Amino acid sequence: MRHPWSCSGEVRPVGGCLPLDGQALRERGARGELLVEREGSPPEPTGLRWWLREPGAAAPADLRALDLIEEGPVLDIGCSTGRHLEYLMARGIDAEGIDLLEPAVEQARLHGCRVQLADLWTFRPTRTYQHLLLMGNNMGLAGRLARLPTLLDRLACLLAPGGSVLVSGKDQRVLGVPGTGYWTADGERPYPGDRRIRHLYAGQTGPWFPWLDLDPDTLAARAGDSGFEARVTADANGLFLATLVLRPRA
């Protein structure tokens, strides 16, 4: 369940109130499921029930990827209600998170997670991290492919030497999303992953905001240009996991 992170760190309001994902969290989904709609595609559920810790709610497919992390400290960027942090902390791993939504931070803290109400761009840590988490397609917070180098540079600044970024997402090419038949990162044509998304909840529709749907090949190439070594695995359903390891600086 992810939400609009702006480059300025501002949460986009709906009608002067909390954005719809914040409303859904604060109300614990009392008025229905929180959906996310990608422009040109039908709305999809966000997994709100799992983030709210409701019994029987299905966990996201990428949860087990956290088993790759053997030591901290870890920073979960866009941690929402802290479920990934709980998973790591149960294994004795030093982990903390940041999120822009106050209801998400409140929920995370209620369950013993160390979370700050902050955004990636203005967050001022007191230490560097061995691992950063950008799960659930959260590399999309770059907004546009043109801003991906800025995002990767920011991540590098947060990492300890030899640290890594764990990324999960969906390869829209495999999913057959309209307009993704010519994905390219060469700058000669518009990148189809430069998209817009919005949230829907309780009969309301939030505003469109930019979101980057990266394919794993472009992620690996751009990460390499920014000083990372990318290790990517993918399945037949389009789900991919990437570990971006920060190369030693010369």
Side-chain angles (χ1 to χ4, degrees):
M1 187 193 69
R2 300 303 181 185
H3 51 78
W5 290 68
S6 73
C7 296
S8 65
E10 178 186 6
V11 179
R12 294 170 175 81
V14 178
C17 304
L18 276 172
L20 292 183
D21 46 352
Q23 291 183 35
L25 281 173
R26 180 146 287 168
E27 298 173 2
R28 299 193 62 81
R31 292 189 288 159
E33 179 61 89
L34 174 68
L35 305 175
V36 62
E37 179 185 2
R38 282 170 165 77
E39 196 168 22
S41 301
E44 300 176 343
T46 59
L48 177 67
R49 306 299 170 188
W50 184 80
W51 288 100
L52 289 171
R53 298 170 173 83
E54 293 190 2
D62 59 6
L63 181 64
R64 300 300 300 183
L66 297 181
D67 291 341
L68 296 172
I69 295 178
E70 298 180 350
E71 61 179 343
V74 178
L75 177 68
D76 188 356
I77 298 167
C79 66
S80 191
T81 62
R83 299 228 57 189
H84 291 149
L85 296 175
E86 277 187 320
Y87 191 88
L88 293 171
M89 292 162 55
R91 294 170 47 213
I93 293 174
D94 178 9
E96 62 185 276
I98 57 175
D99 202 279
L100 275 177
L101 287 179
E102 188 173 355
V105 172
E106 291 170 353
Q107 285 288 322
R109 289 175 176 171
L110 280 174
H111 289 85
C113 300
R114 288 183 288 117
V115 177
Q116 292 187 47
L117 185 66
D119 72 272
L120 173 62
W121 308 101
T122 59
F123 172 57
R124 294 293 177 262
T126 58
R127 58 180 176 172
T128 55
Y129 299 90
Q130 189 61 33
H131 302 287
L132 305 175
L133 302 183
L134 279 160
M135 309 293 284
N137 238 32
N138 236 15
M139 287 294 287
L141 65 89
R144 291 288 178 262
L145 185 63
R147 281 193 56 83
L148 183 58
T150 301
L151 173 61
L152 290 167
D153 288 347
R154 175 61 174 148
L155 298 178
C157 290
L158 295 172
L159 285 172
S164 68
V165 186
L166 190 62
V167 177
S168 66
K170 291 183 180 180
D171 187 344
Q172 302 294 320
R173 299 172 301 180
V174 176
L175 299 177
V177 172
T180 58
Y182 60 92
W183 286 61
T184 177
D186 59 14
E188 294 181 2
R189 288 178 288 189
Y191 182 63
D194 285 349
R195 308 185 74 191
R196 297 194 304 168
I197 67 175
R198 62 184 178 182
H199 286 113
L200 298 87
Y201 173 68
Q204 303 175 75
T205 301
W208 291 109
F209 55 90
W211 196 255
L212 176 61
D213 274 333
L214 270 172
D215 72 278
D217 296 326
T218 299
L219 171 59
R222 295 301 175 93
D225 293 340
S226 294
F228 291 90
E229 177 187 344
R231 305 164 186 169
V232 181
T233 59
D235 66 19
N237 297 316
L239 299 176
F240 71 88
L241 179 72
T243 302
L244 312 180
V245 180
L246 186 62
R247 293 194 295 259
R249 292 182 173 87

